[in-house]
Structures are given as structure tokens and as C-alpha cells.
Amino acid sequence: MQSSAIEPDIREALKQAQARIEAFKKLSGPQLSYAHVLLGFESATKDLSRAWGLVGHLDSVLNSPDLRKTYNALLPEVTAFYTSLTLDPDIWQVFKNYANTAEAKSLQGIKRRFLEETIADFEENGASLPPEEKKRLAEINAALAEKTQKYSENVLDSTNDWEIFIDDENQLKGLPPSALALAKQSATTKSRPDSWRITLQQPSVFPVLQYGEDAALRQKCWEALSQVGYKGKWDNTLLVSEILSLRDEKARLLGRKHFADFTTARRMAQTGDQALKFIEDMAVRIRPKFEQEVEELEQYRSKIEKDAVRILHPWEFGFYSEKMRREYHGFDDEALRPWFPVEGVIAGMFKLFGNLFGIQVVARDTIYVDATGKAEVFKAAAPRVENSPVSVWHPEVRFYEVYDGSRHLGSFYTDWFPRESKRGGAWMNFFRTGGPRPDGSFAPHLGLMCGNFTPPVNGQQALLTHDEVTTVFHEFGHLLHHLLSEVEVESLSGVRVAWDFVELPSQLLENWCWEEESLALFARHHQNGEKLPSDLLKKLDAASNFRAASQCMRQLCFSKLDLDLHIRANELKNADLDKHWNDAMASWQTRTSQRVPSMARRFSHLFSDATGYAAGYYSYKWAEALEADAFTRFLKEGVLNSKVGRELREKVLSKGNSEPADQIFRDFMGRNLDSEAVLVRDGLA
Ligand SMILES: [Zn+2]
């Protein structure tokens, strides 16, 4: 792929999109129709979006200095083009004129929803404000972009500002070999090969807090961590106040009570108060168990140290709970690898969900052409479809097609192993959104899944951890949400759903990684094909629920902080952040020997983007509650029950955003959400 080809292509696509938008602004009279206005606006930017999506994809999987330069050169122009659309008064006027026509007023079903969602998108971005207020909104958005960028830089810079060199290995007693090796390597790059270097980057400092026997070192590290976004010139206190104030003003300008009402209005929660109620209810239900776990940990420490029970210091939580976990659930994730050979897991997963949802996944040959023009064809494994090989960006990339009988629903690429040119983590993405077409045909979708799993060693196939297997299932859930979509309007298709609903399919599929019946289909020993022994599965289950109330309360505590700050911004923006964190929020945290600086100064989820997870952190728990509840149908009616599977496909996976999320959920469950299910699953009911 030549990076030099990208820039002229994207500029051409931008020019085309701009020309189409100019033509759109002139629509009037009989041209004010569903086809010209709604479909016309959507298709005006389609080519640009597809092309730009491909550039973003290459940036993720095939990064190079050239490509990065091209990407960064184009990014501001492309972003400016998209953000200009919703504030353009001429575009908005066309939509308003169309909304007043008899045709628009009589739209039904998906076409009506398309109109309503488009209008809502524009209004959410201030399209209907008078010019003066539009101007103020643009100023607020610009200020938010700048302040959140600064907040994020402060977190990053204060994290990077701290380091410690250890010369005596005894001080690092308890650390696993991988953490020691990392610390040694880190010191070596700083020309101190005889020392070990600890930084505040997670992979460096977390093993110290978790395993380090030396309490003084842990204390030093914890104190440094608590100063992130706080000390000296990197103090985020004022920025938190300014960001909260700007968001509050923005929400009021757009007719909402506060920022939490603004972000949730088009999500399942609908209001900030409902999101807060969900979080508070759950906290009430788990608090007794949580308090019991706090006491257990305090007693455990006293047992280990052979002294009186006392409240823990903040640098003791991670250490003693890890010690306790190892003592009671001496469970090693590595031990399960032999049952999860990557090829077997993936083939088994396709079969499992193929049967459940009534689809067939088949592989197709691939062809890779290297920089010198040399081509190599890779024959696909069975079940394989006979067809010309598909061109791929790396020899390890595989290609599959998904059918329902003879109907081709879509295709996807997989790219599972790490390399230098690829970003970290796992993700699903899509290149094309298909669906039913006006002529009655079906356009296939095109998507992909990427990961960074343990790579194959010595020509043997890769053996995954259970955690990695769960990630594969998670991304496959997102992918099926895209590939099984039967929505005729592209903007309402697949994963373009409410923020607090989008993780339902992905997290739901993870459940099949824990059930004996389904594990039998894909967890087979790589040498002898034997099933995962049930005592190992029991250990895995028990380990996953270890201190579940404390884990859950931590998520709830972050959600509560987020919602408090955004619902009560007026009152809290100038209040003492540490007083709020240590006093008002005391019952949400493990009691500790001292007051600690508020999390708000280093909570990047909330303050590193204009919106990001602000007033949205609750959606992690919300999505868990949804999927755990949805899975109870499979627990009751059969984990492998294809009747329920088909229903899930028809009522949820195929629906995209064609109906409100709460209605989609109710259609599948036959009732509203019952958040008890997630507590039952985690052993907290
Ligand atoms: Zn996800």
C-alpha cells in the first residue's frame, strides 16, 4: 500500500462530498422527498466515510511513519468537514423544510425513525439554536476540546515525571519474573543496567503494589500515584472545575437540566437521575457483602502479620487481596492454555453460534502481495468455500463468509497476532454496511476483528488463555451485531446504537465461555482432544468471583463520582474535591487509614475528551446488567437452545437502531430489565 496514493484520493473524496453537500443545500419544492433529503444527505458523505475508514484501519494494522504523516495531515480537514455539517444553517433549513411536507408527516416505521434520529442528531449539536447561542456553543466546544486536552496532558506528564531506581534486588522481593525483567529492561534503556527502574506506567507500578513484599516501596509508589494530575504545575483541580462548568453551560444551552441529562437523553437510561438510581440501588444491595469483604481483608492481614486487626493503609489493599487470592484460589490462568488452541477455539466458536443463530461461517483462500510484488496464496481451512482468493494486508489475516442457507449475509477478516505496525488491544470494525435494498436484494456486510493474542511459537499453533478466549467471543458479538443486521437504513444499522446498549451483544457472547456445555464444543486439548476437566472449570469459576463485591463496588464508586460531578456540577464545581471524595463518598470505598486525593484529578475516562465517558461511566455496569439478564433465558431454556438463539438474532442482533434500545430489550425478554441477574451471576445476590 502506497501512502502517497492516499492523500490525493481523500482530497478528491472530500471535494466530492463538499460538492454533494452544496447541491443538497439547494433542494426545494418537489425535491424535498425522503429519497433526496434523508437518503441524499446520508449518501453525500458515504464515499468519504468509507475511504477515511480504510485509512483509519491501515493506521491501526499497518502503521508506518509515512502513513502516520499522511493521516495526521488529513485528520484536521476531515474532522472540520464533519463537524461543520450539523451547525450549517442551510443544511438544517432543508431538513426543517422537508419535515414540514405532507410526505415527511406521514412517514412510518423505519423511515419515520430515520427522520426523527436525524433531526435529533442535529438538535443535539445545536442546529436549532439562534445564531448568538450557536456561536456560544461553538466557543464552549472549542474550550472543552482545549481544556480536556490539557487535562489529559497533565495526567500523562505527571505520570511520566516520576521514576525510581532500585539497586538492591531484595527490595523487589515478591515481584513475578516478568515484572522484574521489565524493570531491568527499563533501567537498562536509561543506562543503568545494574538497577531496576519502576515508573507510574501500569505494567510497571501495578506489580509492585500487588506483589511487592517491601511495604515502604509500596507506600512510596502509592504516594506517587496519588499525585498524578495533582502535583505542582500538573494540578488538574481548576481544569476539573472549568470543564464541569462548561459542560453544565452546554447542557443548559441545549435545554437540559445538567450534563448527565444531556448525555443520557438518547440512551437507555434517558435521564441522569435514572442512571444514578440504577447505580445507587445496586450499591445498596451489595453493601453488606462489600463491608464483609473489607473486614475479611483486614482480618487476613492481621493473620498474615500476626498482629492486631486494624484498618488498612491504601498501599495494602492490592497486596493483601492478591495474597489472599493466591492462598484461597491458587489458580493459574496459564494452566488452561492447552485446552484453548486458537484454531480449535475459533472453529468451535463459529460452529456454536452458527447452530445457535442459524448461520454458516465458511473460510475463503487469501492472497498476500508483499512490497516487492511477490504474491503468496494461503489455502483456507475447512469448512471452506471455493472462490478466488481474497487480497489481505498481512499473511496472517484470514477471511470468512457468513451465510444463511444460500443468502450471503456478509464477510469478515480476522487479524489476531501482535506486530510492531499494529496497535494494541482487541477491536471490531467494519468497512461496509449492507442490508436489504429497495429492489428486494440483500447487500452483504463487510467487517473485521483484530486482536493481540499470544502468538504461535516454534511453528505450533497458539494456545490462548481463558481471558483471551473471552475477548475473541466479545469481539465476535460486536461483529455479529454488524453482520446480522437486517436494517435497510445504513445510519440505523448494526452497532450504531445507544452507548449503554452497544456492549450487550459482545458481553452476552462471553457467557458461553463459562458454561460446561458450550466449552465442550470449543475447549479441546490441543494434543488429545479431551474436554476441559470440570474441576478446572470449577476453580476458574470460583477465582472469577473472588472479592466480587469489592470489584463491583469499585465500578459503582467511579460511576457515582461521575454522575455526582455532572448532575451537581453547579454545587460541586467549586467545592473541595477531596472532601467530596473522602466524606460524601466514604461508603462507596474501602475504609482506609488516611484521607486520599480525589480520583477526579486523574480520571481520564471523564475528563480527557469533550464528552468521552462523562456521565456515561455507569454504562459499563448497565450493559453487564442487560447481558446477564438476557442470558438467563439461555440458562432457563438451554445454553445451546437454537430457538432462543434465533429469537436473539431476530429481535436484537438484526435490529440495529431501528427501534429504541429499551423496546428491543423488552421484545426479547418479554419484560423490563431485572438487574438482579448480574448479582446472581457474580455470587452477590
Ligand atoms: Zn466491546
Side-chain angles (χ1 to χ4, degrees):
M1 179 75 211
Q2 292 288 319
S3 296
S4 57
I6 292 174
E7 200 161 335
D9 279 5
I10 293 293
R11 288 205 198 283
E12 181 58 32
L14 249 176
K15 223 158 72 189
Q16 265 184 24
Q18 276 155 345
R20 287 178 193 151
I21 291 293
E22 285 313 309
F24 176 88
K25 292 186 199 174
K26 298 194 179 79
L27 292 178
S28 65
Q31 294 169 318
L32 294 173
S33 66
Y34 178 80
H36 281 101
V37 177
L38 285 169
L39 294 177
F41 184 74
E42 185 185 65
S43 69
T45 55
K46 201 181 279 184
D47 291 338
L48 175 65
S49 298
R50 274 190 186 163
W52 186 241
L54 283 174
V55 182
H57 166 65
L58 289 174
D59 186 58
S60 303
V61 298
L62 214 58
N63 208 312
S64 68
D66 263 5
L67 179 66
R68 192 179 297 179
K69 217 175 103 204
T70 309
Y71 186 76
N72 287 332
L74 291 164
L75 186 63
E77 277 171 71
V78 176
T79 315
F81 169 72
Y82 281 109
T83 50
S84 72
L85 299 177
T86 43
L87 283 175
D88 187 318
D90 297 338
I91 297 177
W92 181 232
Q93 193 57 49
V94 173
F95 280 111
K96 278 200 294 190
N97 292 345
Y98 172 62
N100 278 324
T101 63
E103 186 202 77
K105 285 177 182 156
S106 66
L107 288 179
Q108 299 289 326
I110 181 99
K111 293 191 166 88
R112 164 136 300 271
R113 182 153 176 90
F114 189 18
L115 174 65
E116 286 169 356
E117 287 286 277
T118 308
I119 299 276
D121 282 341
F122 272 78
E123 285 186 329
E124 189 174 272
N125 286 291
S128 61
L129 295 178
E132 261 315 292
E133 291 180 10
K134 249 186 199 170
K135 200 174 138 240
R136 179 61 196 146
L137 181 65
E139 285 166 10
I140 294 176
N141 286 338
L144 274 174
E146 190 196 312
K147 306 261 179 214
T148 53
Q149 171 68 18
K150 184 70 191 145
Y151 177 100
S152 148
E153 286 170 9
N154 282 346
V155 171
L156 192 69
D157 293 350
S158 56
T159 300
N160 290 337
D161 179 64
W162 190 88
E163 63 180 2
I164 181 172
F165 287 92
I166 313 267
D167 299 322
D168 176 6
E169 195 171 1
N170 278 328
Q171 277 188 279
L172 296 170
K173 207 169 148 235
L175 264 67
S178 59
L180 281 174
L182 186 71
K184 176 59 86 183
Q185 187 193 330
S186 175
T188 308
T189 61
K190 297 285 167 186
S191 308
R192 291 187 54 176
D194 295 333
S195 305
W196 290 263
R197 178 174 175 253
I198 306 294
T199 70
L200 294 182
Q201 312 287 355
Q202 291 210 0
S204 178
V205 74
F206 273 52
V208 175
L209 292 172
Q210 214 173 349
Y211 301 100
E213 298 280 348
D214 187 328
L217 178 65
R218 267 188 281 117
Q219 179 174 358
K220 210 177 229 175
C221 287
W222 178 84
E223 279 167 356
L225 259 186
S226 73
Q227 292 295 312
V228 168
Y230 194 18
K231 65 174 177 181
K233 59 181 174 180
W234 299 295
D235 186 354
N236 273 332
T237 310
L238 184 62
L239 281 171
V240 168
S241 158
E242 289 172 334
I243 293 168
L244 288 177
S245 170
L246 286 163
R247 283 176 177 160
D248 196 56
E249 187 188 349
K250 175 173 174 166
R252 287 166 197 272
L253 205 56
L254 292 163
R256 307 284 180 190
K257 231 169 32 195
H258 43 62
F259 197 68
D261 272 3
F262 169 73
T263 58
T264 53
R266 296 172 70 204
R267 295 177 185 171
M268 273 187 94
Q270 289 184 320
T271 65
D273 284 346
Q274 284 198 67
L276 186 61
K277 187 173 175 301
F278 167 77
I279 290 298
E280 286 179 339
D281 278 354
M282 201 166 270
V284 166
R285 284 192 274 175
I286 69 161
R287 195 159 278 130
K289 193 118 192 187
F290 168 68
E291 282 163 2
Q292 188 190 327
E293 286 181 7
V294 171
E295 269 169 38
E296 278 166 10
L297 193 62
E298 288 170 356
Q299 280 156 5
Y300 179 78
R301 191 212 62 83
S302 120
K303 183 191 103 178
I304 294 293
E305 304 301 341
K306 301 187 180 62
D307 59 14
V309 177
R310 63 159 169 79
I311 291 177
L312 266 58
H313 302 306
W315 52 90
E316 291 178 328
F317 301 136
F319 178 72
Y320 288 105
S321 59
E322 173 58 25
K323 226 180 177 48
M324 191 173 166
R325 189 191 69 82
R326 270 177 294 157
E327 185 176 335
Y328 297 154
H329 303 285
F331 182 76
D332 183 3
D333 210 20
E334 296 291 314
L336 292 187
R337 281 191 197 268
W339 282 272
F340 297 124
V342 66
E343 308 281 349
V345 166
I346 286 170
M349 177 181 78
F350 290 162
K351 221 165 158 181
L352 162 63
F353 293 115
N355 290 337
L356 209 53
F357 300 140
I359 53 172
Q360 302 82 44
V361 181
V362 289
R364 215 170 124 176
D365 296 352
T366 50
I367 180 167
Y368 174 70
V369 183
D370 71 13
T372 67
K374 196 173 108 274
E376 193 177 351
V377 172
F378 299 87
K379 201 168 154 67
R384 167 179 171 273
V385 63
E386 196 63 53
N387 209 330
S388 55
V390 175
S391 176
V392 291
W393 58 86
H394 188 273
E396 281 169 355
V397 175
R398 300 281 173 267
F399 188 83
Y400 303 88
E401 297 188 339
V402 180
Y403 288 88
D404 181 348
S406 62
R407 197 155 74 110
H408 180 203
L409 298 175
S411 306
F412 62 96
Y413 301 85
T414 63
D415 182 354
W416 290 131
F417 303 112
R419 56 178 177 271
E420 267 180 29
S421 59
K422 187 172 162 186
R423 77 167 161 94
W427 68 95
M428 168 268 174
N429 195 359
F430 53 87
F431 295 133
R432 269 168 197 273
T433 301
R437 291 297 170 250
D439 65 0
S441 65
F442 187 92
H445 304 279
L446 182 61
L448 67 135
M449 292 190 281
C450 289
N452 279 277
F453 300 129
T454 314
V457 185
N458 302 330
Q460 287 195 339
Q461 71 167 315
L463 301 176
L464 305 179
T465 63
H466 183 262
D467 202 46
E468 290 176 325
V469 172
T470 310
T471 305
V472 174
F473 277 58
H474 181 102
E475 299 310 330
F476 195 51
H478 283 309
L479 184 75
L480 287 180
H481 201 186
H482 179 68
L483 293 179
L484 300 183
S485 176
E486 304 269 358
V487 179
E488 65 180 64
V489 175
E490 184 165 333
S491 318
L492 300 178
S493 181
V495 296
R496 297 168 179 92
V497 294
W499 178 280
D500 50 9
F501 186 72
V502 74
E503 296 296 330
L504 167 63
S506 53
Q507 296 193 12
L508 179 60
L509 261 56
E510 291 181 24
N511 286 286
W512 278 271
C513 297
W514 297 91
E515 297 298 321
E516 198 157 6
E517 249 180 293
S518 47
L519 279 162
L521 299 178
F522 63 86
R524 294 284 182 162
H525 197 280
H526 70 117
Q527 282 162 335
N528 54 27
E530 273 170 17
K531 284 196 269 187
L532 185 69
S534 54
D535 63 311
L536 268 182
L537 178 61
K538 276 200 196 89
K539 273 191 185 167
L540 177 71
D541 256 331
S544 79
N545 280 349
F546 174 66
R547 286 174 48 81
S550 303
Q551 289 180 38
C552 182
M553 192 58 100
R554 195 172 158 76
Q555 290 295 97
L556 296 177
C557 172
F558 292 161
S559 310
K560 164 79 173 159
L561 172 67
D562 173 27
L563 288 166
D564 256 13
L565 290 175
H566 288 101
I567 289 175
R568 295 159 52 203
N570 250 337
E571 166 199 345
L572 291 176
K573 68 184 178 198
N574 295 320
D576 181 342
L577 288 176
D578 301 319
K579 193 168 164 6
H580 175 252
W581 181 244
N582 287 285
D583 298 337
M585 293 206 52
S587 67
W588 299 75
Q589 304 179 65
T590 308
R591 61 182 169 224
T592 170
S593 61
Q594 55 184 261
R595 296 173 75 80
V596 301
S598 173
M599 171 76 190
R601 298 188 191 86
R602 53 192 168 95
F603 204 165
S604 295
H605 273 80
L606 267 47
F607 295 110
S608 281
D609 275 292
T611 301
Y613 271 88
Y617 200 87
Y618 76 90
S619 49
Y620 284 114
K621 258 299 156 223
W622 187 279
E624 259 181 68
L626 290 176
E627 52 89 2
D629 196 19
F631 194 64
T632 58
R633 282 207 55 192
F634 289 95
L635 290 174
K636 280 186 204 123
E637 298 169 61
V639 169
L640 304 178
N641 185 332
S642 61
K643 193 186 131 285
V644 190
R646 293 296 195 108
E647 231 185 288
L648 180 73
R649 174 179 165 192
E650 185 198 326
K651 293 179 173 171
V652 180
L653 298 175
S654 73
K655 289 284 183 187
N657 183 28
S658 61
E659 288 164 21
D662 59 321
Q663 191 181 321
I664 289 176
F665 186 80
R666 261 196 313 274
D667 277 354
F668 177 66
M669 293 306 288
R671 56 163 173 77
N672 287 328
L673 169 67
D674 177 0
S675 50
E676 183 77 5
V678 66
L679 299 178
V680 172
R681 185 181 63 194
D682 294 347
L684 296 172

